Amino acid sequence: MSLTDITAKLKAREISAREVAGAALDAAEASQGALNAFTAFDRDKTMAMAKISDDRLAKGEGGLIEGAPIAVKDLFAVEGVSTTACSHILDGFEPPYESTVTAKLWDAGGVFLGKTNMDEFAMGSSNETSYFGNVVNPWRAKGSDAPLTPGGSSGGSATAVAANFAYGATGTDTGGSIRQPAAFTGTVGVKGTYGRASRWGAVAFASSLDHPGPFAKTVKDAAILMQAMSGHDPKESTSLPLDVPDWIAAASASVKGKRIGVPKEYRMDGMPDEIEALWQQGVDWLKAAGCEIVEVSLPHTKYALPTYYIINPAEASSNLARYDGMRYGLRVEGESLTDTYEKTRAEGFGDEVQRRVLMGTYVLSAGYYDAYYLKALKVRRRILEDFEKAFLHCDALLTPSTPSAAFALGSKSDDPIAMYLNDIFTVTANIAGVPAMSVPAGLDGSGLPLGLQVITPALDEATMFSVGAALEDAAAFTHKPEAWW
């Protein structure tokens, strides 16, 4: 059932929140050996929250998602529950506070299901850099038992929703880490405008690029979750001091008369025919829904990945400097203070994190700051201007979500450049800070899900949800992975 379905049944008292939570926990825990989607459970906490929901529902009360089990990416602090960002360096850290996003979800009636596995410090596109091992996609290619990636970095959250353990999940999207896993798992993944959802209480990766957002089974469910988790947070300096619009209503609004832009720069050499065909199908669906299709140009798109992979490591190297073995998490004693720092960070950080810290330190160094980091910031401004000019001619952009369907685990783990190219369609929206979502729209020749991406101007999530819902209605994507786990 969808989030909308289960909350309706809970409100009608056809089933109790404790029954729903117990079933979700049992299924999630039983899958761990096969899918490895979770890093921590707290059954007592879950059932206590479910009881509170039952008490509210018995009084005819309850929030937007009252009684629904929600999975939480292991980047968000949940009070008293292990929060490690899937890194050895944060072993044993149990925050005495709650992140703003999860606090808002609990206020709306959500029930904590568990912490989900992810790439270490959200650095990865395949969920293979986690200290707790990789997550396995619940989907399998036709005629094959080869384990596939669920995408990254939010692969555990995407898997929790796709495998029907959770009715929604939190993720973070720094360069596509919600939308890419959503496309790989046949779920809906959303990031709002930068600052819509607070980053307070979420472990920082690249602060100017990080966007919290939800995974869901439907566009309406995603709108409900995004509405619940958004809003101004005085504790977070980049949080937008704006009211949250009615995105739930927007998810059923007509798109007739909307102008949909198709960026010509997203047609790339070597793009699989299936991706091109699905993109054209999406254009046809929106045209049939009454939209006008226009070609637009985003000329600096070719510089987006290099720009992203300068700004991203630079901010990561700064943010991760705090993990020094002095205050919390792992500490490896050395012969001197510097030796302790070096041993702690060498043992605590995995290869990909070390790679990005080194790159970031390099581009921020005195000799290279102007040549790399400052230039990347200038190109970032040009990319944003491309979007601003394009949106003078259209209300939303339609693109593929990913350059391929889910790939085999291990097939790209020894080639960082090939891995980074997974973000080629998604990074621009993070660089510009504009809303974007991935909607499941079809299957490839191997029976694996593919997604279409909708990008809209800053603060216009309403159009994003209405266009996404139109695509969802036209695609009628009802495929589910067979429960082999």
Side-chain angles (χ1 to χ4, degrees):
M1 290 183 286
S2 69
L3 174 66
T4 306
D5 295 333
I6 197 65
T7 51
K9 287 186 176 292
L10 285 161
K11 189 174 182 180
R13 309 294 288 149
E14 294 178 24
I15 191 170
S16 74
R18 279 170 288 188
E19 288 174 311
V20 174
L25 271 175
D26 290 346
E29 290 174 342
S31 75
Q32 274 296 91
L35 298 178
N36 196 32
F38 291 84
T39 59
F41 297 100
D42 187 333
R43 185 173 284 266
D44 290 343
K45 185 182 187 76
T46 299
M47 299 312 292
M49 292 176 74
K51 182 183 185 306
I52 291 170
S53 285
D54 280 332
D55 292 343
R56 286 178 184 160
L57 290 163
K59 297 174 185 175
E61 301 171 354
L64 270 177
I65 56 173
E66 197 67 58
I70 304 296
V72 178
K73 185 177 182 179
D74 193 29
L75 209 63
F76 293 91
V78 173
E79 185 176 358
V81 179
S82 172
T83 300
T84 68
C86 289
S87 178
H88 185 35
I89 208 162
L90 274 173
D91 264 355
F93 177 56
E94 295 183 0
Y97 55 89
E98 191 80 31
S99 77
T100 298
V101 160
T102 53
K104 284 180 174 290
L105 289 170
W106 311 152
D107 287 345
V111 173
F112 171 71
L113 176 60
K115 300 299 287 291
T116 56
N117 202 347
M118 54 178 276
D119 282 300
E120 184 182 8
F121 281 103
M123 300 181 193
S125 300
S126 63
N127 225 133
E128 293 178 276
T129 69
S130 170
Y131 179 67
F132 300 103
N134 57 263
V135 180
V136 177
N137 195 324
W139 289 80
R140 290 278 172 90
K142 287 179 185 175
S144 172
D145 289 330
L148 303 174
T149 175
S153 63
S154 308
S157 289
T159 294
V161 174
N164 291 312
F165 307 139
Y167 293 90
T170 68
T172 56
D173 194 310
T174 306
S177 287
I178 292 175
R179 289 161 290 153
Q180 186 243 28
F184 281 4
T185 58
T187 56
V188 177
V190 175
K191 80 168 196 68
T193 304
Y194 182 76
R196 275 291 197 194
S198 172
R199 293 180 294 108
W200 193 88
V203 178
F205 167 15
S207 299
S208 75
L209 298 164
D210 293 344
H211 296 64
F215 289 90
K217 298 180 183 182
T218 69
V219 172
K220 183 179 179 181
D221 286 0
I224 292 169
L225 289 164
M226 193 72 202
Q227 192 156 314
M229 69 198 295
S230 297
H232 181 235
D233 179 7
K235 298 191 296 292
E236 207 264 272
S237 63
T238 62
S239 178
L240 295 171
L242 300 171
D243 293 334
V244 178
D246 187 352
W247 294 325
I248 301 169
S252 57
S254 171
V255 296
K256 189 174 182 179
K258 295 286 187 186
R259 291 172 300 169
I260 307 299
V262 177
K264 61 184 180 181
E265 289 79 9
Y266 279 53
R267 286 193 168 87
M268 298 177 179
D269 294 340
M271 189 162 74
D273 292 341
E274 291 169 323
I275 301 292
E276 180 73 48
L278 184 70
W279 192 7
Q280 183 58 51
Q281 180 66 74
V283 167
D284 294 341
W285 283 333
L286 292 178
K287 193 182 294 184
C291 295
E292 177 188 351
I293 309 300
V294 297
E295 185 175 83
V296 297
S297 179
L298 300 171
H300 291 89
T301 294
K302 62 184 177 181
Y303 303 116
L305 270 178
T307 299
Y308 175 79
Y309 279 104
I310 291 172
I311 296 172
N312 163 321
E315 294 187 5
S317 71
S318 178
N319 277 324
L320 270 61
R322 70 193 70 179
Y323 304 110
D324 54 12
M326 296 296 113
R327 288 156 289 190
Y328 45 78
L330 182 71
R331 178 187 178 96
V332 180
E333 294 292 348
E335 296 178 0
S336 65
L337 181 62
T338 300
D339 194 38
T340 298
Y341 287 156
E342 291 175 351
K343 287 181 176 177
T344 298
R345 291 167 70 81
E347 186 172 326
F349 291 146
D351 289 347
E352 182 60 28
V353 174
Q354 292 186 42
R355 181 182 294 117
R356 296 203 197 190
V357 168
L358 287 167
M359 286 195 299
T361 304
Y362 176 80
V363 301
L364 289 175
S365 63
Y368 299 98
Y369 182 91
D370 289 350
Y372 291 98
Y373 184 66
L374 199 58
K375 186 173 286 186
L377 294 182
K378 292 176 180 178
V379 177
R380 180 182 198 168
R381 179 65 211 175
R382 295 290 179 267
I383 291 169
L384 173 57
E385 289 172 353
D386 285 351
F387 277 102
E388 291 171 343
K389 290 174 183 175
F391 286 130
L392 293 174
H393 306 287
C394 64
D395 301 295
L397 300 175
L398 180 69
T399 78
S401 297
T402 57
S404 71
F407 49 87
L409 286 165
S411 62
K412 298 183 181 182
S413 55
D414 60 347
D415 187 346
I417 302 302
M419 192 71 79
Y420 295 167
L421 287 170
N422 277 286
D423 299 331
I424 198 160
F425 295 138
T426 52
V427 293
T428 51
N430 296 81
I431 290 170
V434 295
M437 75 185 305
S438 178
V439 181
L443 300 176
D444 76 349
S446 298
L448 298 175
L450 297 170
L452 287 172
Q453 179 179 217
V454 179
I455 306 172
T456 52
L459 304 179
D460 192 10
E461 289 87 354
T463 295
M464 176 185 68
F465 283 117
S466 61
V467 173
L471 288 170
E472 180 179 64
D473 289 344
F477 186 93
T478 57
H479 308 283
K480 298 290 181 186
E482 294 184 12
W484 54 268
W485 58 90

